[in-house]
């Protein structure tokens, strides 16, 4: 292998090199390794009792000194070395092979894997897989973007000099949309090529079970990647502004046997350019009505804590680049303290109906779409997604805000404050008023605690989770996670 | 009718949704299980010998374990590269060789330090590495050129054929011969000097 690639591409190197390698190597390998194995185990076994490497090396170093004939074990190759190199060294070399083998075996024979080696591998391998997949998806997205973007630019350029404005536009449009052979065809190739490199392997027979995650996701990626901003998306991406994050969604699962409730808060990059999520954001607990938050702790997820099913801290990202339309999530777990199991319900919205959330009672996962589609309305940036947003821009926003302010316990109610500010989101159109107004109901009917999530980018908060009743326990939260693609 | 999975105590009525999730969980576990078994298998078969390989190739024996771990992780996390046992060993060795080149290694170790503290090695293992440090052969090996050392180790410790060594190192078979013989000569000189 050349030195250059070996550096940066270390991880890939073996695979690429071996694509031809093992096929050839296989022949020899099939015969060689058994020999190697026995030699090794022999070496280890021998070395284990005298295990001291020191002793091993005390053995005289006899290459060629004894003038013994080359040993059969050294085989044809040994002789080959000798002959090829020349007489002076040759005889000695062929002769020394057995000894050098033995020396090597002896000196490292005492090495034992550390006790936790296998355990660590078991953890690390799946983790790396996930990371690889993310990296790979990012690369695929870049390539796809580039593939789509380049022809568009080129065809546009081509036509700029061409002639009348109208005609130019039309031609350009057709090209992009139709994926005309010249541009589109190439793009397709480019897009799939690098992907093929990696997918090929997973696609091999017998891999079906594991491989499934990647290819579909890749396809997805290419499909959605219709914007132009290309390959440089990773590090150069600006930090996500609050207005770029929207379509907030919270989900919770039904309580498990110990009353633990797992859930997640998901935020999408609703802008049309990639941005970087930096920092975990804030998850805070605020009292509603008569409740107090004293009995509720919010802690970061650590390994070995009671929120077993949350991803471990090393799966979280300090920085995560979100291509347009991709989402990140923060997961959490509500772990009630022993006595409180069952005395507290978890709802992902400020219970619209005023009473305890019926969904939760039934133990179904609750998915709430539109709580806060942060700021896309007010900003007016996201034309695509905010079809409704535009309309809701000031009208709805105004309404909800006032409604919230009115129904509230004094200005800073977490629940409604949020809806008010983000109320500009038009996608929630029909529903928002219902659930937002419900904010009043909450305060009227129940006491509890609202968990409020605010992205690092700042106000307004993106999501709330209502804990109703007398709650005491701990919220474990993760940092920023890559949300699964949908 | 016996209920297979324990239901959440609070909600006995939701039995309907439970079986589904239980099955999924089982499937996941099984899928996970197959890969883990393979990992364990390779671990048992090759981990020690790779540890030796790393120890002979590396300048600092203390990072042997890290290098081998990293190699295992890389090879096993690349799905599809791990199906054929023979190839797996080849990949692993190749990766260890790559990682043993210092610049690259420093980089991954740096990364590793950032993400996770190194395991504190049990004293017995430390002892083994310390002894290794003192071994004449190891000292002598450090005096060799990197290529010579790689050729010798792959050829005589990993028992590769010359062709395999050539492929693994990305050099010609002729170079393998040349590095090999010069390496042996240099090793002999170094060993005698040490005595």
């Amino acid at each position: 292998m050349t030195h250059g690639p070996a550096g940066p591409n270390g991880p890939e190197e073996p695979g690429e090199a071996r694509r031809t390698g093992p096929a050839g190597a296989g022949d020899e390998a099939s015969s060689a390794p058994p020999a190697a194995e026995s030699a090794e185990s022999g070496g280890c076994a021998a070395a284990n009792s005298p295990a001291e490497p020191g002793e091993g090396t005390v053995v005289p170093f006899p290459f060629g000194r004894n003038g013994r004939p080359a040993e059969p074990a050294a085989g044809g190759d040994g002789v080959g070395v000798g002959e090829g190199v020349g007489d002076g060294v040759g005889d000695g070399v062929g002769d020394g092979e057995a000894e050098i083998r033995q020396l090597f075996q002896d000196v490292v024979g005492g090495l034992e894997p550390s006790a936790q080696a296998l355990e660590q591998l078991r953890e690390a391998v799946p983790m790396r897989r996930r990371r690889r997949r993310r990296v790979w998806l990012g690369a695929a997205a870049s390539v796809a973007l580039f593939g789509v973007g380049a022809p568009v630019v080129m065809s546009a350029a081509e036509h700029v000099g061409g002639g009348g404005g109208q005609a130019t536009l039309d031609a350009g449009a057709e090209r992009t949309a139709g994926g005309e052979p010249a541009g589109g065809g190439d793009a397709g190739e480019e897009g799939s090529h690098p992907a093929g490199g990696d997918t090929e392997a997973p696609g091999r027979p017998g891999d079906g079970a594991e491989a499934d995650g990647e290819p579909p996701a890749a396809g997805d990626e290419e499909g959605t990647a219709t914007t132009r901003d290309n390959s440089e998306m990773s590090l150069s991406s600006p930090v996500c502004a609050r207005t770029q994050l929207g379509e907030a969604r919270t989900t919770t699962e039904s309580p498990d046997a110990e009353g633990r409730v797992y859930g997640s808060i998901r935020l999408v990059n609703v802008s049309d350019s990639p941005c970087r999520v930096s920092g975990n954001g804030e998850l805070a607990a605020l009292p509603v009505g008569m409740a107090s938050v004293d009995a509720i702790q919010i802690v970061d997820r650590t390994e070995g804590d009671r929120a077993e099913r949350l991803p471990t801290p090393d799966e979280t990202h300090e920085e995560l680049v979100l291509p347009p339309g991709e989402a990140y999530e923060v997961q959490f777990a509500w772990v009630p303290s022993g006595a409180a199991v069952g005395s507290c319900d978890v709802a992902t919205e400020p219970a619209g109906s005023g009473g305890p959330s019926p969904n939760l009672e039934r133990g179904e996962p609750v998915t709430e779409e539109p709580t806060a589609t942060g700021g896309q309305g007010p900003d007016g940036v996201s034309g695509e997604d905010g079809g409704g947003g535009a309309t809701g821009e000031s009208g709805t926003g105004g309404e909800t805000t006032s409604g919230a302010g009115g129904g509230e316990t004094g200005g800073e109610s977490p629940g409604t404050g949020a809806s008010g500010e983000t109320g500009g989101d038009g996608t929630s159109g029909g529903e928002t008023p219902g659930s937002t107004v419900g904010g009043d109901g909450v305060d009227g009917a129940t006491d509890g605690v609202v968990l409020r999530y605010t992205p690092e980018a700042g106000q307004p908060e993106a999501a709330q989770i209502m804990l109703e009743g007398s709650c005491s326990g701990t919220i474990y939260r993760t940092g920023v996670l890559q949300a699964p693609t949908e | 009718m016996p209920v297979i999975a324990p239901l959440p105590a609070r909600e006995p009525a939701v039995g309907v949704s439970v079986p589904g999730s239980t099955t999924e969980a089982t499937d996941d576990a099984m899928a996970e299980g197959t890969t883990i078994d393979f990992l364990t298998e390779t671990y048992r078969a090759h981990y020690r010998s790779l540890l030796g390989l790393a120890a002979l190739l590396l300048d600092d024996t203390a990072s042997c374990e890290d290098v081998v771990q990293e190699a295992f992780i890389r090879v096993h996390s690349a799905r599809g590269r791990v199906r054929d046992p023979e190839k797996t060993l080849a990949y692993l060795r190749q990766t260890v060789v790559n990682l043993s080149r210092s610049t690259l290694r420093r980089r991954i170790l740096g990364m590793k330090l950032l993400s996770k503290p190194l395991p504190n090695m049990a004293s017995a293992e430390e002892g083994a590495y310390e002894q290794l440090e003192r071994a004449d052969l190891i000292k002598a090996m450090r005096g060799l050129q990197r290529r010579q050392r790689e050729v010798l180790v792959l050829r005589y410790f990993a028992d590769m054929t010359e062709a395999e060594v050539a492929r693994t190192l990305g050099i010609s078979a002729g170079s393998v011969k040349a590095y090999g013989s010069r390496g042996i000569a240099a090793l002999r000189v170094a060993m005698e000097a040490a005595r």
Side-chain angles (χ1 to χ4, degrees), chain B residues 103-173:
Chain B
T103 47
L104 191 61
R105 186 175 73 256
R106 244 175 263 132
R107 221 182 47 163
I108 60 141
L109 292 182
M111 277 166 36
K112 197 178 151 130
L113 283 173
L114 282 182
S115 65
K116 210 175 193 179
L118 288 170
N120 33 355
M121 275 190 270
S123 51
E125 287 138 23
E126 257 169 34
Y129 287 104
E130 270 168 25
Q131 273 174 343
L132 202 58
E133 284 292 319
R134 289 197 299 269
D136 289 344
L137 176 66
I138 295 292
K139 286 181 191 157
M141 288 291 281
R142 295 208 175 129
L144 302 192
Q145 282 175 20
R146 196 194 73 213
R147 283 284 191 212
Q148 292 177 349
R149 189 162 151 182
E150 286 171 352
V151 168
L152 290 188
V153 172
L154 292 180
R155 187 78 181 80
Y156 301 118
F157 178 74
D159 279 303
M160 289 186 180
T161 64
E162 281 180 6
E164 284 174 302
V165 176
R167 263 194 300 271
T168 303
L169 297 179
I171 57 182
S172 70

Side-chain angles (χ1 to χ4, degrees), chain A residues 1 52 77 101 204 210, chain B residues 35 48 80 131 155 159 170:
Chain A
M1 99 219 25
E52 323 308 303
D77 282 321
R101 274 178 220 274
R204 273 185 226 149
E210 288 179 17
Chain B
T35 56
R48 272 185 53 150
Q131 273 174 343
R155 187 78 181 80
D159 279 303

Side-chain angles (χ1 to χ4, degrees), chain A residues 261-273:
Chain A
V261 178
Y262 288 89
S264 67
I265 300 159
R266 183 177 192 274
L267 277 173
V268 179
N269 174 6
V270 294
S271 74
D272 51 9
S273 54

Side-chain angles (χ1 to χ4, degrees), chain B:
Chain B
M1 191 185 108
V3 178
I4 303 163
L7 295 173
R10 291 186 61 207
E11 306 280 356
V14 292
V16 190
S17 70
V18 171
S21 56
T22 315
T23 333
E24 271 171 35
T26 318
D27 286 349
D28 284 352
M30 279 169 64
E32 196 86 333
T34 51
T35 56
I36 280 176
D37 285 345
F38 185 76
L39 178 64
T40 313
E41 211 173 286
T42 356
Y43 172 86
R44 293 213 179 103
H46 304 307
Y47 195 89
R48 272 185 53 150
S49 75
L50 288 164
L51 217 48
L53 183 66
L56 291 170
L57 286 174
L58 285 169
D59 279 327
D60 49 339
T61 46
S63 35
C64 289
E65 186 101 31
D66 291 328
V67 164
V68 176
Q69 286 259 334
E70 178 67 18
F72 259 76
I73 294 170
R74 287 188 182 192
V75 169
H76 284 80
S77 62
R79 306 148 199 260
R81 286 201 191 146
V82 291
R83 287 301 145 184
D84 182 340
E86 294 299 343
K87 286 182 190 172
T88 305
L89 179 56
Y91 290 142
L92 284 167
R93 283 170 166 174
Q94 172 88 60
T95 312
V96 168
V97 171
N98 289 352
L99 292 177
S100 67
R101 292 179 178 161
S102 55
T103 47
L104 191 61
R105 186 175 73 256
R106 244 175 263 132
R107 221 182 47 163
I108 60 141
L109 292 182
M111 277 166 36
K112 197 178 151 130
L113 283 173
L114 282 182
S115 65
K116 210 175 193 179
L118 288 170
N120 33 355
M121 275 190 270
S123 51
E125 287 138 23
E126 257 169 34
Y129 287 104
E130 270 168 25
Q131 273 174 343
L132 202 58
E133 284 292 319
R134 289 197 299 269
D136 289 344
L137 176 66
I138 295 292
K139 286 181 191 157
M141 288 291 281
R142 295 208 175 129
L144 302 192
Q145 282 175 20
R146 196 194 73 213
R147 283 284 191 212
Q148 292 177 349
R149 189 162 151 182
E150 286 171 352
V151 168
L152 290 188
V153 172
L154 292 180
R155 187 78 181 80
Y156 301 118
F157 178 74
D159 279 303
M160 289 186 180
T161 64
E162 281 180 6
E164 284 174 302
V165 176
R167 263 194 300 271
T168 303
L169 297 179
I171 57 182
S172 70
S175 307
V176 172
K177 276 194 215 295
Y179 281 122
S181 59
R182 279 189 226 130
I184 288 190
L187 188 61
R188 178 194 296 155
V189 170
M191 289 289 282
E192 283 183 350
R195 266 195 286 153

Side-chain angles (χ1 to χ4, degrees), chain A residues 370-429:
Chain A
T371 324
T373 321
Q376 68 195 56
D379 214 38
V381 169
S382 59
E384 357 108 68
D385 216 319
T391 68
E393 195 167 354
S394 53
T396 322
E399 267 172 35
T400 30
T401 309
S402 67
E408 237 1 86
T409 58
E412 237 319 272
S413 152
T416 48
S419 328
E421 277 177 44
T422 54
D425 165 33
T427 54
S428 46

Side-chain angles (χ1 to χ4, degrees), chain A residues 385-480:
Chain A
D385 216 319
T391 68
E393 195 167 354
S394 53
T396 322
E399 267 172 35
T400 30
T401 309
S402 67
E408 237 1 86
T409 58
E412 237 319 272
S413 152
T416 48
S419 328
E421 277 177 44
T422 54
D425 165 33
T427 54
S428 46
E431 279 175 299
T432 314
S435 59
T436 314
V437 171
D440 300 354
V442 171
D443 288 298
T446 56
D447 294 338
V449 171
V450 163
L451 289 178
R452 195 173 73 167
Y453 177 71
T454 313
E456 192 73 13
Q459 299 283 348
E461 67 263 41
Q464 313 142 55
I465 295 97
M466 177 77 191
L467 306 175
E468 286 169 3
S470 60
C471 300
S472 75
T474 310
I475 303 275
Y476 296 90
R477 61 157 296 182
T478 68
V480 169

